[in-house]
Amino acid sequence: MSSKSKSIQYKYKVLFPWLDIFAFLAWGVLLLKYWLTGQLQLLIHPNYFWLVSVTGIILVAIASLRVWQQLQGWRKRSYEQDLGEDVRHITLFPPGWSSTLLLVVAILGLLIPPKILASDTALQRGITDSLLTTRAQPQSFTVSIQPEERSLLDWVRTLNAYPEPDDYFGQKVNVKGFVVHSYALPEQYLVISRFVITCCAVDAYPVGLPVKLSTSQSDYPVDTWLQVEGSIITEELADKRQVVIVPTSIEKIPTPRDPYEF
């Protein structure tokens, strides 16, 4: 057997198990970091937080056990033994490739924080003022809540249940969301929007309501978070009769720690 082949076998027997350990450990640390820092709420629904945290603990435990096994000499063979044995393990990819890929992805996740979904994604996915039947209905609501106490999602749920726009004329509004400039609306309109998560950020979809301004939408840059107070009117916009917020107060606010609705 050539020295090059012997060296490859030695790496497979001795070094590659550590790649598996580091991959398990990195992913466990990543999941626990998301959980402990609150970044997990930017990625998945709170109902699944426990699953992610438990998975992170299990991965760290597996990595710790594997380290102990390696240090105790379990599965340990001498260098001479390794060189004298044939490695008959067959894989589709080169040995260690999958573990290396998992490790690199986990390291990138530790270095690059998750980003909040913004207006460009909202425009791509399509903003709606109703909850479509193909989407999960997030949490129930009661119509007894006062109009000015409804969140943006509460308004969308209400419109979904009772879709006649004129029924809401004159009702008070006090909602928070980020600014979207819709190409389908005139210059003096913007859309105040929030993302709704039913499972994870991949399936998040935006909901929103148009706001009629006394100035131009350019005064409110995209992705700026606003608290809008005002009242409801109805107008024909984008070939659809719908509710529109006429604001009496527009205040810029910091991006909330929990920017998504559930």
Side-chain angles (χ1 to χ4, degrees), residues 124-181:
Q124 291 172 6
R125 299 186 182 183
I127 304 173
T128 179
D129 61 359
S130 63
L131 302 176
L132 303 183
T133 56
T134 55
R135 288 166 172 163
Q137 301 292 315
Q139 300 180 357
S140 61
F141 77 103
T142 58
V143 295
S144 60
I145 187 172
Q146 294 298 313
E148 61 270 22
E149 296 177 355
R150 293 175 185 152
S151 67
L152 189 58
L153 182 55
D154 289 331
W155 271 104
V156 172
R157 289 180 181 136
T158 304
L159 289 167
N160 192 67
Y162 308 101
E164 176 51 54
D166 292 327
D167 290 346
Y168 306 99
F169 187 89
Q171 291 192 10
K172 300 298 182 182
V173 181
N174 185 359
V175 294
K176 299 176 182 179
F178 63 91
V179 173
V180 177
H181 293 171

Side-chain angles (χ1 to χ4, degrees), residues 191-202:
V191 178
I192 187 164
S193 182
R194 297 286 290 262
F195 275 95
V196 181
I197 288 183
T198 55
C199 180
C200 63
V202 174

Side-chain angles (χ1 to χ4, degrees), residues 13 222 253:
K13 293 286 188 177
V222 295
I253 59 174

